[in-house]
């Protein structure tokens, strides 16, 4: 099946710093989503981005489908950005999501 | 509008017991999927339901089962619980169940098996 790899696995930043999280996938996909898992376990949908670039406030994402990777940019990071960021993809007509192992982000004040 | 609602949020069960978890999708959403999250295996797909039909199933033993009702609410059941079933169980819903829809998750049910 499709493989999803995220890097780096862990990232520690000072408040105000910028960061880039990467997601590589091994095959073509229909859907790619970025999620932020909060401390209570809920996965918050950040972007639905099978291709192209989107921005939402301090966050933006770019997916280059032909090269099978996606990037999540976080600018001017805040302590509330801490948590685990997951990339997930699906293929074909199924909604089955295949997740990467996540990037654990810690933003220190 | 209300998000995906999962109940119960926290529960503790004993080995050998069974457990039923419930998920109410976002109003109007007809597709519901379930995922298991553990520290060792990460997020793994359990099953997907659309219009009361199971469309896809992950690689889990038959002790894991689910169903969807006519109002799109879904339940999953785990029988003969094992210690390794301790996990966060997440439910997700989407509008039409086709790839290309944004998928929304509930807050999850934390299951501890002792």
């Amino acid at each position: 099946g499709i493989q999803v790899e995220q890097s780096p696995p862990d990232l520690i930043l000072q408040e105000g710093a910028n960061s880039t999280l990467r997601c590589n996938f091994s095959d073509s996909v229909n859907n790619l989503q970025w999620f932020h898992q909060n401390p209570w376990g809920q996965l918050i949908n950040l972007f639905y981005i099978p291709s192209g670039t989107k921005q939402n406030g301090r966050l933006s994402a770019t997916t280059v489908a032909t090269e099978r990777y996606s990037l999540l940019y976080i600018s001017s990071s805040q302590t509330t950005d801490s948590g685990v960021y997951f990339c997930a993809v699906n293929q074909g007509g199924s909604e089955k999501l295949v997740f990467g192992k996540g990037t654990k982000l810690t933003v220190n004040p | 509008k209300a998000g995906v609602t999962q109940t119960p949020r926290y529960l503790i069960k004993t080995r050998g017991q069974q457990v039923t978890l419930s998920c109410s999708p976002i109003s109007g959403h007809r597709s519901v999927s379930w995922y298991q999250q553990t520290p060792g295996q990460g997020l793994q797909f359990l099953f997907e339901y659309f219009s009361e039909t199971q469309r896809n199933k992950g690689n889990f033993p038959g002790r894991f089962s689910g169903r969807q009702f006519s109002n799109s609410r879904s339940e999953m059941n785990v029988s003969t619980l094992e210690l390794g079933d301790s996990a966060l169980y997440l439910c997700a819903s989407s509008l039409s169940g086709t790839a290309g829809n944004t998928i929304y998750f509930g807050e999850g049910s934390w299951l501890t098996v002792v």
Side-chain angles (χ1 to χ4, degrees):
Chain A
I2 191 169
Q3 304 296 315
V4 181
E5 294 184 358
Q6 292 187 243
S7 60
D10 293 279
L11 186 58
I12 301 175
L13 302 173
Q14 287 300 120
E15 203 167 23
N18 302 329
S19 61
T20 300
L21 284 58
R22 186 177 180 101
C23 171
N24 293 332
F25 42 98
S26 61
D27 200 352
S28 59
V29 298
N30 287 337
N31 183 2
L32 186 145
Q33 293 187 217
W34 283 96
F35 296 91
H36 175 219
Q37 188 164 39
N38 65 26
W40 299 272
Q42 187 174 14
L43 285 169
I44 306 298
N45 188 293
L46 297 176
F47 293 103
Y48 163 72
I49 185 165
S51 63
T53 298
K54 291 186 177 180
Q55 181 158 5
N56 184 3
R58 296 181 297 103
L59 274 59
S60 64
T62 294
T63 297
V64 183
T66 53
E67 297 187 21
R68 299 180 185 166
Y69 73 89
S70 183
L71 301 173
L72 177 67
Y73 305 95
I74 305 174
S75 64
S76 304
S77 59
Q78 302 175 357
T79 55
T80 51
D81 295 331
S82 296
V84 183
Y85 290 81
F86 288 99
C87 165
V89 302
N90 64 0
Q91 301 177 289
S94 170
E95 277 209 345
K96 170 187 174 181
L97 286 174
V98 177
F99 284 82
K101 293 190 182 298
T103 292
K104 182 178 180 181
L105 175 65
T106 302
V107 182
N108 293 319
Chain B
K1 56 183 175 182
V4 180
T5 304
Q6 292 188 243
T7 57
R9 291 293 322 280
Y10 305 92
L11 65 167
I12 301 173
K13 292 286 187 178
T14 303
R15 270 184 304 175
Q17 288 186 316
Q18 73 165 10
V19 65
T20 299
L21 308 177
S22 178
C23 172
S24 293
I26 292 171
S27 178
H29 285 194
R30 296 170 62 192
S31 172
V32 173
S33 301
W34 290 88
Y35 293 81
Q36 181 197 64
Q37 186 177 23
T38 60
Q41 299 299 318
L43 280 151
Q44 293 186 288
F45 171 79
L46 279 159
F47 11 72
E48 173 196 354
Y49 289 89
F50 180 75
S51 293
E52 302 179 66
T53 300
Q54 186 181 88
R55 296 203 306 181
N56 211 340
K57 190 176 191 301
N59 188 24
F60 279 82
R63 300 185 296 106
F64 291 80
S65 63
R67 58 179 176 169
Q68 185 181 33
F69 302 95
S70 58
N71 61 358
S72 293
R73 190 177 71 86
S74 177
E75 289 181 348
M76 67 163 284
N77 183 276
V78 187
S79 62
T80 319
L81 284 165
E82 300 176 359
L83 295 179
D85 297 332
S86 295
L88 174 64
Y89 290 87
L90 290 161
C91 171
S93 80
S94 71
L95 192 59
S96 64
T98 57
N101 285 293
T102 302
I103 298 172
Y104 299 91
F105 282 82
E107 293 182 306
S109 293
W110 292 89
L111 170 65
T112 301
V113 182
V114 298

